[in-house]
Amino acid sequence: MNVTLAVKQYISKMIENSGPGMKVLLMDKETTSIVSVVYTQSEILQKEVYLFERIDSQNRDNMKHLKAICFLRPTKENVENLIQELRRPKYSVYFIYFSNVISKSEIKALAEADEQEVVAEVQEFYGDFIAVNPHLFSLNLSGVARGRSWEPTLLPRTTQGLTSVLLALKKCPMIRYQLSSDMAKRLGESVKQIITKEYELFDFRKTEVPPLLLILDRSDDAITPLLNQWTYQAMVHELLGLNNNRIDLSRVPGISKDLKEVVLSAENDEFYANNLYLNFGEIGTNIKNLMEDFQKKKPKEQQKLESISDMKAFVDNYPQFKKMSGTVSKHVTVVGELSRLVSERHLMEVSELEQELACQNDHSSASQNVRRLLQNPRVSEMDAVRLVMLYALRYERHSSSILPGLMEELNRKGVSEKHCRMVTSMVEYGGKRVRGSDLVNPQDAVAITKQFFKGLKGVENVYTQHAPLLQETLDQLIKGRLKDSQFPYLGPSSLRDRPQDIIVFVIGGATYEEALAIYNLNRTVPGVRIVLGGTTIHNTKSFLEEVTLTAGAGQAERLQRAGGQPNRR
Amino acid sequence: MASSYLPPFEGTGEVKEGFLCPLCLKDLQSFYQLQEHYEEEHSGDDRHVRGQLKSLVQKAKKAKDKLLKRDGEDKPETDSYESFYYGGVDPYMWEPQELGATRSHLDFFKKHRAARIDHYVIEVNKLIIRLEKLTSFDRMNIDASKIRAIEKSVVSWVSDSDVPFCPDCGNKFNLRNRRHHCRLCGSIMCKKCMEFVPLPLAYKLTSGTREALSVPGSPGQSQSPPTGGGGGSVSGMGSRRGSISSLSSVTSMLEEKDDERIRCCCHCMDTLMRRQQKLEEKDHVPDIVKLYERLRLCMDKVDERAPEYIRMAESLNAGETTYNLDTAGGLRMEVQKYYELIDALSKRILTLGMKEEPQPHPKNLQLQRMVRYTATLFVQEKLLGLMSLPTKDKFEEFKMKRKQEQEKRLAQERLAAQKRRQDSEKNRPASSTNGEPPQAPRVPRMTKAGGWLPSSDTLHTHGELDDPMLQQIENIRSFLRQAKAAQRHDEVAMLEENLRQLQDEYDQQQTHLAITLSQRLAQEESLQQEELQRLEDRKRGKMKHRAQSQASGSTQATYTWQGSLNLTDTGSLHREGEEENEEEELTPKAERSPPSMRAFPALTDQDEESPPWLGGDVEGQNSASLNPFKEEDSSTVEEDPSNPFSEEIQKEHKEVANGKKEYNPFEEEEEGGVQGQVEGVTGNPFEEEEENDEGNPFKEASGSTPPGASTNPFEEEGEAAMPDVDLIEEELLLQQIDNIRAYIFDAKLNGRLDEVELLSENLRELQRTLQEQNSKTR
């Protein structure tokens, strides 16, 4: 069930298949991301792969002393490019791997182009997804929805991505989907169709309890991606933006040249692996320890090497020191930047209110606090908008809603028109009308008691009160209590036992907070393995973009419909 | 309802809290019972409420966990009512999985390709055969109409009337835009779309088939009947070109006579060009590939050797005597040689084609850079992990320490053994084989396991040190006593047997040792004599040499160096011999594999390109063998090759025989060797150490000459006579210098300038120390 390992195994198998000698890896834009997330350059260099090329790059010379490993998505353009490549081969041998199912006719076209017999291998290796963490994958697709339905081109792409995950993990699952979302149903059907069509591929060893694929829709929980995060990975993504495990630090004031872009990969960064899911306070302590450790090992500037033994100690420590120095400088920079942003944007205060909005049910205090923070000039435009959004989502139908007043406040603050419109878009995207589950505003027994407990214990980490809806959903699922009425099975059969291997896919994008929740579920619930995936991994910024795209298109649709009807009449 | 959960929430109940029925608060023993109970009693109730309550319980506990600041890992209670064992699995720890699904299309692909390829191959072959026919006559001497007739006979031409437009560009044919026929396929095209196959290319393309045809017929005759005109016309054409070309340019305008080329359409041309490219590439191996292959070979060697060395070094640093210090030193040197080679090879790859015009394609340069980068990564990673060896003194110290520890442990073990006598039943089986790493139980460590009896097998292995053997005997005796005291007769018998064996072994070893000792003494004696003789030779040679060197003036430096290179075998073979020699003196060791070392001289081939004038200066016999390998061969044929002394001795004899030669090569070796090394190495960070390391055993060897002998003429060798401690310190220093250089190199590569500064500061410091030391000893 480890998606990172699955992709890694595919790639190392490809390289292994090509035998010894210098190699070039020919990829397209998407497979480049797929490979770069799981392998670092030095790792792959050790496997004798020295060049990384794009199949569509024109600037490639004849290098007949190289073997080419082609890892490509089976798109039309790629096949066309490959045909051209085979007609005039630039490398001695070609090992061709498609990341998904390819049609016979395309294979035939390729075979006919290979007049010089340079192709030694043609296979499908289903690594058609970005493996972010062992239990988290993304397809790096944004703007998948148009209103409440699929962007037509992205449904097949999402289906491909999701089926490739199933194939890479060798799972032929039963499918459940969120009833309130038509998109979830469509995707489920589409996946099912592929499974039926490629039944030979999906013929895996049967497990006692069949695996389960649960398809959800982001619009059911629009709150989670709007919250500020305080665990390392999630925070980095929220504040700096993680793209294929890379952070762009070029905007950080006074950044040194080699830290403009850093890679955060748990695969080969021990510190990151250990601190990925720890909260900001803990990381602060850990990084301090790391620094101290480092200082101890660092050869002092004034330290004269008086004796041979001094010298020897220095030399013995050097390799360790060297190894550490890269990690230390990277994380110190990242954490430094995070804390700078936190204080600059008053994120502690903002986050506290966010959590209050998300988790508590005290309208008067919430509205007061929102108003107060909006008046604070140091709260950024983005944070102001997101507070209003949270308020709007939370108290959408509250009798004494002060939303119009807050909107005015936003205007007064000088927030751009575009951002103000987003508040409406957000309500449209994730408002009560849309939701299938009780995301907020719980009026039932559970919620009331929950509130009661909260009040009772008082001190909790106020910044991490919120638990994503997904956690609740999965909890129910694991216990076999997830309601069929809300999450029906696709097809007649249903799971009788408690599920063991679960793949959750969130249309419209997952978040790192949810990834953390899944991680904890994996660690604490025995016998259950859960993998989370999404069309992308959101932070607030990317989520707002997604919502704007979705809602914008939705409005256009509606306008069209509205405009079209009179014409018809 | 909530209040009913308060007591557990406040932390009184632990596991039980989960087994209360949420509706009737009945206490049930387990989750399953609860579930059963629930389904029986309350199945009619609202399911929704039930779900809510269930999660409520959970929520409450989660809240409690958070309250108590529990980490995710140690909050088993959260799930304890879910199951009877705790915890799931961290996704990073998920068990390994098999490779995901794959599907191969190769067969399908091949099937379709085969059909296509057959077609293609036939096409190409057709073209080649036609081309051959077209070039098999002498085009110069036949007039145009005849050529045309032949051409038409090769392939039937498409009739003009069938093709009103050029099929490639679509232009209409008329008087101005005339039709042209492809001589290879007979199709028609306009002048613009027409191409020409130059004759030389045609010959080249058809040469493959020509050879193939000529082989079965008459191998001796290169121009077999079907191609008879081919070779001739090439030469004929060459000689005649001058006179014809001007003429033909005029005639071809009028008559379309193609003397030196064959008309064809672009499609045929395309096919031919591709074939030509293929032919060219078939046998061509670019330099980078050759170098790269060698590079990989070295890397493989390092991968193979480095772990072995590390095992040795670890063992030695722990004060064990499983391995010989010198062997380890030799291995270290070998590994470092490989590093040096990797470094040099990758540098060569990096600079490949840099000086040429035009510059290689940027991608090629990138490839070279990447190969180099990988090599440096490799060196960094592996070299930095290469621990240093203890010096001789240190090693002795370690050994002592270890021995003490062992004794202490032994004493403890004895005590423990006495206590445990009753229950200790089994003898520990023998577990060591010869040459096993640290764990090899040379000394009984096994008492813990229950027995007190060391197995006798371990005793056959090592003869280099007496102590373990004696110790062993001692141990067994004590065990014997213990066993007797415990009245365990079977064991007593066994112990006695062992003891006997041990003693036999020990006696044998002693005699063997005595023999070798006496042999060595004899050897040393002869060596001393030789040394004396050599000294005299040297004295004489030196005078002459000085005079000569003054005369030869500026060429001196190179001259001496060359001399030394010549005699020290340029590469490492000779040195290796000396090392071996060293080893041999201490303990007879397995021969290190010379073939693996033989790769190195190739690297220093620059040095090997010794100017010919040198030959004259070296005395007769040696002058014939500028190639160091040859020399060795000739000298080792008669003598035991594993004993380098013999070689030396033989050379000595040669010199003696040659008597009053111009200079003594040995002297050159000594002084020139040192000099040359020092001069030659400055650039390469790796080289220095090894050279010096290599220097050291040599010095030690000469240091063993009787002090009386090393008076005046040995001034250059004064270093060698310096106290042992200093020597070792120097060794260490050099090692450190070497390491630091590697680090500097690495730091520079990664652009960490502050580190570079710091390191170079340290380096300077070290070098100063080294110099001071040197001057002191002088």
Side-chain angles (χ1 to χ4, degrees), chain A residues 1-2 5-6 9-10 13 22 41-42 45-46 48 50-51 53 59 61-66 87-88 101-102 104 107-108 110-112 114-117 119-126 133-135 167-168 170 198 201 204-205 266 276 299-300 304-305 308 311-312 314-315 318-319 321-322 444 446 449-450 453 456-457 459-460 464 471-472 475-476 479 481 483 498 519 522-526 529-531, chain B residues 2 5-6 9 31 35 48 50-52 54-56 58-60 62-63 66-67 71-73 75 79 82-83 85 87-92 94-106 108-109 112-113 116-117 120 270 274 277-278 281 286 288-289 292 296 361 363-364 366-367 370-371 373-374 377 380-381 384 388 729 732-733 736 739-740 743 746-747 750 752 754-755 758-759 761-762 765-766:
Chain A
M1 287 286 280
N2 185 333
L5 188 62
Q9 280 177 335
Y10 273 139
K13 182 78 180 168
M22 288 182 279
Q41 193 191 30
S42 53
L45 278 176
Q46 275 168 12
E48 295 187 87
Y50 295 111
L51 286 180
E53 298 284 359
N59 181 31
D61 194 27
N62 263 5
M63 293 175 105
K64 294 285 183 175
H65 46 287
L66 291 185
R87 288 237 163 87
R88 298 213 172 276
V101 177
I102 185 166
K104 291 266 184 213
I107 295 281
K108 197 168 163 238
L110 284 170
E112 282 167 1
D114 183 26
E115 286 175 343
Q116 310 211 9
E117 289 184 277
V119 175
E121 190 66 84
V122 185
Q123 290 214 50
E124 288 169 8
F125 272 21
Y126 305 97
N133 285 349
H135 67 291
L167 285 167
K170 294 197 166 177
E198 306 284 347
L201 268 179
F204 303 123
R205 194 158 24 88
L276 190 60
K300 312 245 175 356
K304 278 277 172 278
L305 297 151
I308 301 256
M311 197 65 241
K312 194 163 159 45
F314 167 77
V315 171
Y318 185 81
F321 158 76
K322 185 191 145 270
D444 44 40
V446 189
T449 353
K450 200 162 96 182
F453 280 143
L456 195 76
K457 61 195 156 49
V459 278
E460 186 184 3
T464 55
Q471 184 175 329
E472 179 70 32
D475 217 56
Q476 303 273 325
K479 291 185 192 119
R481 304 210 189 288
K483 275 177 257 163
R498 297 188 345 160
Y519 175 77
N522 272 317
R523 284 207 322 172
T524 50
V525 184
R529 292 184 296 179
I530 312 169
V531 169
Chain B
Y5 288 93
L6 273 178
F9 180 63
F31 171 69
Q35 205 167 23
H48 186 63
R50 189 179 68 159
Q52 281 179 345
K54 195 76 195 162
S55 66
L56 169 68
Q58 217 195 347
K59 284 271 157 55
K62 267 189 195 142
K66 276 187 191 155
L67 190 67
D71 199 323
E73 203 152 40
K75 50 172 179 183
D79 305 294
E82 273 291 312
S83 65
Y85 50 98
V89 183
D90 188 322
Y92 286 93
W94 277 342
E95 71 265 31
Q97 64 206 32
E98 48 189 318
L99 184 71
T102 61
R103 178 159 64 180
S104 176
H105 290 290
L106 192 60
F108 184 78
F109 184 91
H112 281 271
R113 182 174 67 182
R116 181 75 183 189
I117 289 286
Y120 172 75
D270 207 36
R274 253 190 271 174
Q277 212 182 355
K278 230 178 176 177
E281 281 157 5
I288 184 168
V289 175
Y292 180 76
R296 289 304 299 186
H361 192 273
K363 288 293 169 193
N364 263 315
Q366 194 188 345
L367 175 72
M370 291 314 253
V371 173
Y373 176 62
T374 312
L377 274 186
Q380 273 168 30
E381 190 186 315
L384 297 188
S388 54
E729 289 245 85
L732 184 65
L733 268 174
Q736 304 292 35
N739 282 346
I740 292 200
Y743 298 152
D746 165 48
N750 293 335
R752 293 193 302 268
D754 49 335
E755 267 173 49
L758 184 66
L759 283 165
E761 174 70 22
N762 284 334
E765 191 76 22
L766 261 181

Side-chain angles (χ1 to χ4, degrees), chain A residues 257-392:
Chain A
K257 207 171 133 202
D258 52 336
L259 283 173
K260 281 225 161 97
E261 192 193 66
V262 300
V263 180
L264 286 187
S265 161
E267 291 289 308
N268 33 34
D269 179 343
E270 206 188 332
F271 182 83
Y272 186 60
N274 291 335
N275 293 279
L276 190 60
Y277 295 120
L278 296 186
N279 73 40
F280 194 52
E282 289 165 306
I283 292 160
T285 324
N286 288 350
I287 209 137
K288 198 167 141 265
N289 292 342
L290 188 71
M291 279 288 277
E292 272 165 15
D293 237 32
F294 178 64
Q295 290 295 346
K296 255 181 248 160
K297 290 216 176 79
K298 192 181 166 97
K300 312 245 175 356
E301 302 292 326
Q302 295 82 14
Q303 181 186 330
K304 278 277 172 278
L305 297 151
E306 302 284 345
S307 66
I308 301 256
S309 58
D310 275 2
M311 197 65 241
K312 194 163 159 45
F314 167 77
V315 171
D316 286 348
N317 280 332
Y318 185 81
Q320 254 181 309
F321 158 76
K322 185 191 145 270
K323 202 173 149 202
M324 260 176 101
S325 86
T327 323
V328 169
S329 57
K330 180 168 77 183
H331 287 290
V332 167
T333 313
V334 171
V335 173
E337 175 62 10
L338 289 181
S339 59
R340 188 185 71 84
L341 288 173
V342 166
S343 63
E344 185 187 288
R345 287 167 54 181
H346 280 259
L347 287 183
M348 301 291 258
E349 225 175 315
V350 172
S351 175
E352 193 178 340
L353 180 54
E354 282 171 10
Q355 298 281 334
E356 188 193 330
L357 282 169
C359 308
Q360 279 162 36
N361 196 14
D362 185 349
H363 177 257
S364 61
S365 130
S367 50
Q368 259 176 26
N369 283 333
V370 173
R371 206 181 272 280
R372 184 174 52 81
L373 270 185
L374 285 187
Q375 279 156 0
N376 186 338
R378 290 188 60 184
V379 169
S380 73
E381 184 174 312
M382 166 86 115
D383 292 322
V385 171
R386 108 160 100 189
L387 284 174
V388 176
M389 279 174 179
L390 281 170
Y391 176 85

Side-chain angles (χ1 to χ4, degrees), chain B residues 510-542:
Chain B
Q510 286 299 317
T511 46
H512 181 73
L513 229 99
I515 291 167
T516 44
L517 205 71
S518 61
Q519 275 174 347
R520 209 191 309 167
L521 270 172
Q523 216 171 14
E524 258 167 43
E525 218 165 311
S526 72
L527 205 87
Q528 280 170 13
Q529 271 177 2
E530 277 165 26
E531 204 67 50
L532 269 168
Q533 206 166 17
R534 201 164 64 183
L535 282 179
E536 275 174 50
D537 268 359
R538 181 172 300 219
K539 245 188 220 163
R540 251 172 295 164
K542 187 131 197 153

Side-chain angles (χ1 to χ4, degrees), chain B residues 373-391:
Chain B
Y373 176 62
T374 312
T376 42
L377 274 186
F378 182 84
V379 169
Q380 273 168 30
E381 190 186 315
K382 298 280 163 101
L383 183 66
L384 297 188
L386 213 63
M387 62 178 75
S388 54
L389 286 172
T391 58

